[in-house]
Amino acid sequence: MNATTNPSFDIAHLGHVEVYTDRFEDSLDFFTRVYGLKLSGQDETGAWLRAWDDYEFHSLKLTRHQTTGVGHIGYRAASPEALERRVKAIEASGYRVHGWTEGDMGHGPAFRFEDPFGHVFEIYYETRRAEPQEADRPALKNTASAFTGAAPRRIDHVNLLAEDVTEFRRFMETCLGSRVTEMIRLDNGRLGGCWFTVNNKTYDLACTEEHGGGHGRLHHVTYATDQREDILRAADIFLQNGVHIETGPHKHAIQGTFFLYVWEPAGNRVELANAGARLILAPDWEPVVWTEAERKKGQAWGLKTIETFHTHGTPPVKKEP
Amino acid sequence: MNATTNPSFDIAHLGHVEVYTDRFEDSLDFFTRVYGLKLSGQDETGAWLRAWDDYEFHSLKLTRHQTTGVGHIGYRAASPEALERRVKAIEASGYRVHGWTEGDMGHGPAFRFEDPFGHVFEIYYETRRAEPQEADRPALKNTASAFTGAAPRRIDHVNLLAEDVTEFRRFMETCLGSRVTEMIRLDNGRLGGCWFTVNNKTYDLACTEEHGGGHGRLHHVTYATDQREDILRAADIFLQNGVHIETGPHKHAIQGTFFLYVWEPAGNRVELANAGARLILAPDWEPVVWTEAERKKGQAWGLKTIETFHTHGTPPVKKEP
Amino acid sequence: MNATTNPSFDIAHLGHVEVYTDRFEDSLDFFTRVYGLKLSGQDETGAWLRAWDDYEFHSLKLTRHQTTGVGHIGYRAASPEALERRVKAIEASGYRVHGWTEGDMGHGPAFRFEDPFGHVFEIYYETRRAEPQEADRPALKNTASAFTGAAPRRIDHVNLLAEDVTEFRRFMETCLGSRVTEMIRLDNGRLGGCWFTVNNKTYDLACTEEHGGGHGRLHHVTYATDQREDILRAADIFLQNGVHIETGPHKHAIQGTFFLYVWEPAGNRVELANAGARLILAPDWEPVVWTEAERKKGQAWGLKTIETFHTHGTPPVKKEP
Amino acid sequence: MNATTNPSFDIAHLGHVEVYTDRFEDSLDFFTRVYGLKLSGQDETGAWLRAWDDYEFHSLKLTRHQTTGVGHIGYRAASPEALERRVKAIEASGYRVHGWTEGDMGHGPAFRFEDPFGHVFEIYYETRRAEPQEADRPALKNTASAFTGAAPRRIDHVNLLAEDVTEFRRFMETCLGSRVTEMIRLDNGRLGGCWFTVNNKTYDLACTEEHGGGHGRLHHVTYATDQREDILRAADIFLQNGVHIETGPHKHAIQGTFFLYVWEPAGNRVELANAGARLILAPDWEPVVWTEAERKKGQAWGLKTIETFHTHGTPPVKKEP
């Protein structure tokens, strides 16, 4: 059986990403005032944030920490039964299991486990919905909260770094029932990167090869915008607010995503992306395989991939050039 | 069990719509030269058309006929096994069954059945992929065909008319395992409209109440564009080519879709639509229910729904005002 | 000599419009928080506002008043000498002259005069520049102030109502040296509307026939956006903030402008508009003349002009339906 | 007197640019089929092309030649009298004068003269208007020709290379009465670049320092698009058609223009640009001066200026790296 062509549908979607920051106030100011997320809740450990059309209480947990990087990645299961099925599959997998947690401000009980590269995942079903009050109530009842005019509409995906992408792929297919939609096959036979989805989105998680010597690191977290124009406007807002724009706006050849990468004040890379009308609807989608030569052509419209994109991850490992 | 909250995932996606035309040459010229679809194949019965990123051979079958309207609606199953499960469910349902066909130029064996209002559906698994040759080969290998610059990227949905939308809903849930994402509840208790999906798209089929006295009629067929700007540009192209623009561009309150409706030369209504980054990811999505009073407010930004939108369907029933 | 084909260039551009409001706090909240203008200054008479790239201190003077409507319209002259030439031309014209004022918070001495329909104009040369401080300082030194993300970039035009558009045209050509770029010629021979410019913009002032029985009234004030997408986004912001959207977004046939009209809380009509790359560069531009029949076709993409657009002006004259 | 703050208005606008090509058929195919210009006329010397809303017969003369580069640059005068005034000023200037020509397929008598770096200019008043026939007739009578859906709406500017930009500035102010809107002041005191306009456009001609050792060379020719989205779409069209995309889409810090640069088949650099709603309306606009340090920051959103942008001009001088 090939997990790629038979997604289990046990997992409904990426729910949230926990991001560490050692400059909490600056990061919170960035994510709320500049990037445009809403503050759902806050306690001494950090803040729960969501985009205006995220239906759950939070899609980003911003956590005070001694360093930067990713705390954990949460996926919501399709049903209580589906959650049970996944837990059994994970327990049988041999991957490291942390076990059940009580959940937190944003959701109910969650089952935690870990990939071989130190990233912690959790799956849960019981969730808390966004609770818009007063001015935050949406004018259109089919949106989760009031439209703010800000670029991010909903969480889109997370990109992790791993020393062995092939091994990471096995983890994703085994534990989450993800399917691979695109990948990079290096000349040495290794996978340079792999894009996964549990539903019809073109990807909800990407894993690219760690080149910086780190372990369990984050490459970036991404929110989806409604239009490409939202990203162009955001670029001017980032410029005006002194945010470090790393690269973009431009279009990835892989996945065809229109992108913009910035670094939030603590150094975590954050993306805004727009996939247009692209979805993976074919049930027998064959993963698109990109060669190293194709990769070297740069992005779709010829932009060369900048050096920091290959080396910068969080937390930092060694001094970057 | 509630089919809405537990989609079967047996059906992968809407595959194609067969549209009848009594002005074949004019319709074909419209769909290829003005609207921007690609011609995959043609024989004496009609033409097989697709948008530039439809992965199948065709998403629109344009059929020579003595009148206009919809021939049949095709959905692709998720696997051969899923197809079998659906066939059994349909055979057990009591709905009228046409049985197996050999398929056509665009796909393999298909199982046909009919809703109580005269619309013919088919489900199939074996399909034929788009076969781009030479200049039609895409520059990016993760797209189905060459980008043409035209607005439609892929088929999006079809809108049918039915005398009893509640009954139609039962048909969709029973036969296709669709779930309802939004609906209109009239003051008289009837459903005025219902929006269905088999995957994470916000809808792939809508059914609205027949007010024109017809049976088995088509309201419109829709293709998705990457950006709202594609629709604004298309409006100028329609204007330049003398196409009847019925209403739009504007934004629907229901589903939040940015839309533009035109009539192709034979009179079938065709839409271009953009949903932005909106998807239905929640596995326990509660259908959004719109009241008659809310409906009367018009579209999202206040545009009043024009009269023909309530009365015009194909084929024509009686002389419209 | 035909003023239309030989603009004097004595007047550089539309500078500001004074708008009356009998709900000052509500109007100010709308213009700053919702519409997105910046507050340059304020005193007991009202507020001085500007868009983020207006180079002058203000482009909108919002004045506390017992009713709504337009206070005066200010144009900036091209030089002190040009100002003198215009003053002489106006004094010789026979139109009603108010004479010199000391100017106000936003500019130096201004010469005031009046059209036959009660609208007060002023021309001035000495001006005060926008004075961005701290967070309002632009990241790019070729813009006037910090980019806020809001839709309006600069003031675009004002639309006045007059009982006799032909007579108003003579006033504009005589006093400001404006040229006519487009006009509506009614079947009865009268001008239904006339669009004027003093520079390469397609228009900075429009005058349409008064149908509501008023005198010296305002039809609307307009700011220009960088992109059409800014207007679509603004529509959602207006919807979210309960602003009355009168009509649009759509495209005018006349001038080809992409538009959106709303009413600010006191009832004055305000527009957001985008002209794309259109400019009037031809020195011998022949005014485009639209017939009444063409006008009845509605807007460019077929939207019918709504009734209030013909009747609603400020201040109100009689109870509107 | 400072020519910058007192534009003469004798010259109305940039009319056309003559571009040389040593691959005429390929270049013509590019400009018509891919870039989207219209063919107004053709003879054995070359082709006359225009964008869909250029009001003159042509804005690009594509000329068969033994090499690439710019043939001449044509500006249209504001009136016959203005033309005479300019001719006298040029004759008195000491710059090299070619004298009167009879004009060509696209316009009447033209007066030719030359800058110190070998670029030939001409000014003319009598012109020939675009003559759309049948399908080329515009649906809206205020546009010059049928809207084609292609990106370029009208000619925007030309960028020349000169060994001494300060000297070139003197030429432009003296001969055309142009004013400077922005400039680069290098640490060595020289001008690195200078942007000129004769009207309210932010620039119609730019001159940057020649670094490649050439004489009288062309840096690029640019057409304006209505929206930034047109440029993003064009990027995909260029990609699909194998056109060399040199850099962009991105936003220039200088002038704030959203840009995309490609090389047409013969090697001439061609740009698509969008200025949004930006205009130079202030009659006393102070030229914005950029330092070398500011210039080194790259483009507005941080893109580093690529090497070929500093070295590639046409015709080629020496082998580029």
Side-chain angles (χ1 to χ4, degrees), chain C residues 13-30:
Chain C
H13 61 86
L14 173 67
H16 54 268
V17 177
E18 182 187 23
V19 171
Y20 291 149
T21 174
D22 51 9
R23 292 177 58 188
F24 179 75
E25 282 73 22
D26 292 343
S27 295
L28 183 59
D29 174 68
F30 166 80

Side-chain angles (χ1 to χ4, degrees), chain D residues 40-105:
Chain D
S40 278
Q42 195 170 358
D43 69 12
E44 66 288 354
T45 69
W48 283 255
L49 302 164
R50 69 184 200 278
W52 66 267
D53 203 23
D54 279 322
Y55 77 93
E56 292 182 281
F57 185 75
H58 78 298
S59 55
L60 185 73
K61 170 73 199 301
L62 187 66
T63 298
R64 295 174 188 272
H65 205 71
Q66 73 273 23
T67 182
T68 50
V70 57
H72 74 276
I73 300 106
Y75 274 84
R76 189 169 179 219
S79 66
E81 298 74 27
L83 178 59
E84 279 308 307
R85 281 195 296 272
R86 281 294 112 198
V87 167
K88 281 182 188 150
I90 295 163
E91 287 177 331
S93 71
Y95 289 111
R96 186 175 168 205
V97 165
H98 294 218
W100 288 94
T101 75
E102 290 184 4
D104 73 354
M105 202 186 285

Side-chain angles (χ1 to χ4, degrees), chain A residues 213-292:
Chain A
H215 188 71
R217 295 209 298 166
L218 172 69
H219 194 267
H220 65 263
V221 178
T222 303
Y223 279 74
T225 73
D226 271 326
Q227 306 290 320
R228 299 197 287 203
E229 261 295 323
D230 296 323
I231 295 178
L232 300 183
R233 192 172 55 88
D236 276 330
I237 292 173
F238 291 139
L239 170 66
Q240 185 59 45
N241 285 278
V243 175
H244 174 61
I245 301 176
E246 186 184 25
T247 187
H250 205 87
K251 177 178 172 167
H252 283 304
I254 299 177
Q255 299 285 2
T257 317
F258 191 71
F259 66 83
L260 177 64
Y261 293 94
V262 302
W263 295 359
E264 57 89 34
N268 293 297
R269 186 186 283 108
V270 183
E271 185 190 16
L272 287 173
N274 181 271
R278 189 173 188 237
L279 293 172
I280 302 295
L281 297 173
D284 49 359
W285 174 266
E286 289 289 326
V288 176
V289 183
W290 301 85
T291 66
E292 196 165 331

Side-chain angles (χ1 to χ4, degrees), chain A residues 108-140:
Chain A
F111 183 79
R112 289 203 172 189
F113 53 105
E114 194 177 317
D115 77 18
F117 312 100
H119 305 100
V120 176
F121 285 74
E122 70 180 18
I123 52 176
Y124 63 98
Y125 176 71
E126 288 178 28
T127 194
R128 181 177 178 184
R129 306 224 157 212
E131 295 156 1
Q133 304 296 328
E134 301 181 3
D136 197 29
R137 286 208 181 90
L140 292 174

Side-chain angles (χ1 to χ4, degrees), chain B residues 145-192:
Chain B
S145 309
F147 174 66
T148 59
R153 179 173 187 144
R154 59 165 171 74
I155 192 167
D156 193 81
H157 67 269
V158 60
N159 191 143
L160 304 175
L161 295 171
E163 292 83 345
D164 183 339
V165 177
T166 301
E167 175 55 25
F168 185 84
R169 175 186 180 175
R170 197 173 74 81
F171 169 81
M172 288 296 286
E173 292 177 341
T174 304
C175 296
L176 293 174
S178 297
R179 56 176 170 162
V180 174
T181 56
E182 307 204 12
M183 65 176 95
I184 301 168
R185 176 71 65 187
L186 301 175
D187 292 347
N188 58 22
R190 294 212 312 274
L191 288 186

Side-chain angles (χ1 to χ4, degrees), chain D:
Chain D
M1 196 199 86
N2 184 337
T4 297
T5 57
N6 288 289
S8 72
F9 291 114
D10 280 345
I11 303 297
H13 62 85
L14 173 68
H16 55 267
V17 178
E18 182 186 22
V19 172
Y20 290 150
T21 174
D22 51 8
R23 292 177 57 189
F24 179 77
E25 281 73 21
D26 293 341
S27 295
L28 182 59
D29 174 67
F30 166 81
F31 279 114
T32 52
R33 186 179 55 84
V34 180
Y35 192 70
L37 298 184
K38 288 170 184 275
L39 182 65
S40 278
Q42 195 170 358
D43 69 12
E44 66 288 354
T45 69
W48 283 255
L49 302 164
R50 69 184 200 278
W52 66 267
D53 203 23
D54 279 322
Y55 77 93
E56 292 182 281
F57 185 75
H58 78 298
S59 55
L60 185 73
K61 170 73 199 301
L62 187 66
T63 298
R64 295 174 188 272
H65 205 71
Q66 73 273 23
T67 182
T68 50
V70 57
H72 74 276
I73 300 106
Y75 274 84
R76 189 169 179 219
S79 66
E81 298 74 27
L83 178 59
E84 279 308 307
R85 281 195 296 272
R86 281 294 112 198
V87 167
K88 281 182 188 150
I90 295 163
E91 287 177 331
S93 71
Y95 289 111
R96 186 175 168 205
V97 165
H98 294 218
W100 288 94
T101 75
E102 290 184 4
D104 73 354
M105 202 186 285
H107 59 83
F111 184 79
R112 290 205 171 189
F113 53 105
E114 193 176 318
D115 75 20
F117 313 100
H119 305 99
V120 176
F121 285 74
E122 70 179 17
I123 53 177
Y124 63 97
Y125 176 71
E126 288 177 28
T127 195
R128 180 178 178 183
R129 306 223 157 213
E131 296 156 0
Q133 304 296 328
E134 301 182 2
D136 197 30
R137 286 208 181 90
L140 293 174
K141 59 209 248 186
N142 49 9
T143 59
S145 309
F147 173 66
T148 60
R153 179 173 187 144
R154 58 163 172 74
I155 191 166
D156 192 81
H157 68 270
V158 60
N159 191 143
L160 303 176
L161 295 172
E163 291 83 346
D164 183 337
V165 177
T166 300
E167 174 56 25
F168 185 84
R169 175 187 180 174
R170 199 174 71 83
F171 169 82
M172 289 296 285
E173 293 176 341
T174 304
C175 297
L176 293 175
S178 298
R179 56 175 170 163
V180 174
T181 56
E182 307 204 13
M183 66 176 95
I184 301 168
R185 177 71 65 187
L186 301 175
D187 293 348
N188 59 22
R190 295 210 314 274
L191 288 186
C194 205
W195 283 255
F196 305 90
T197 188
V198 294
N199 49 41
N200 296 119
K201 271 176 40 57
T202 52
Y203 55 117
D204 51 37
L205 189 145
C207 181
T208 42
E209 214 176 50
E210 168 71 74
H211 296 133
H215 188 70
R217 294 209 298 165
L218 172 70
H219 194 267
H220 65 264
V221 179
T222 303
Y223 279 75
T225 72
D226 273 324
Q227 307 290 321
R228 299 198 286 204
E229 262 295 323
D230 295 324
I231 295 179
L232 300 183
R233 193 172 54 89
D236 277 329
I237 293 173
F238 291 140
L239 169 66
Q240 184 60 45
N241 285 278
V243 175
H244 174 60
I245 301 176
E246 186 184 24
T247 186
H250 204 88
K251 177 179 171 166
H252 283 305
I254 299 177
Q255 300 285 1
T257 317
F258 191 72
F259 66 82
L260 177 64
Y261 293 94
V262 301
W263 295 1
E264 56 89 35
N268 293 297
R269 185 187 283 107
V270 183
E271 185 191 16
L272 287 173
N274 182 272
R278 188 171 188 240
L279 292 172
I280 302 294
L281 297 172
D284 49 359
W285 174 267
E286 288 290 325
V288 177
V289 183
W290 300 85
T291 66
E292 197 165 331
E294 288 169 335
R295 192 77 181 112
K296 281 183 179 154
K297 287 184 191 167
Q299 307 300 333
W301 299 325
L303 180 71
K304 295 304 170 196
T305 306
I306 67 168
E307 183 56 24
T308 54
F309 203 72
H310 294 304
T311 56
H312 180 79
T314 48
V317 176
K318 50 182 180 183
K319 193 167 180 54
E320 290 168 16

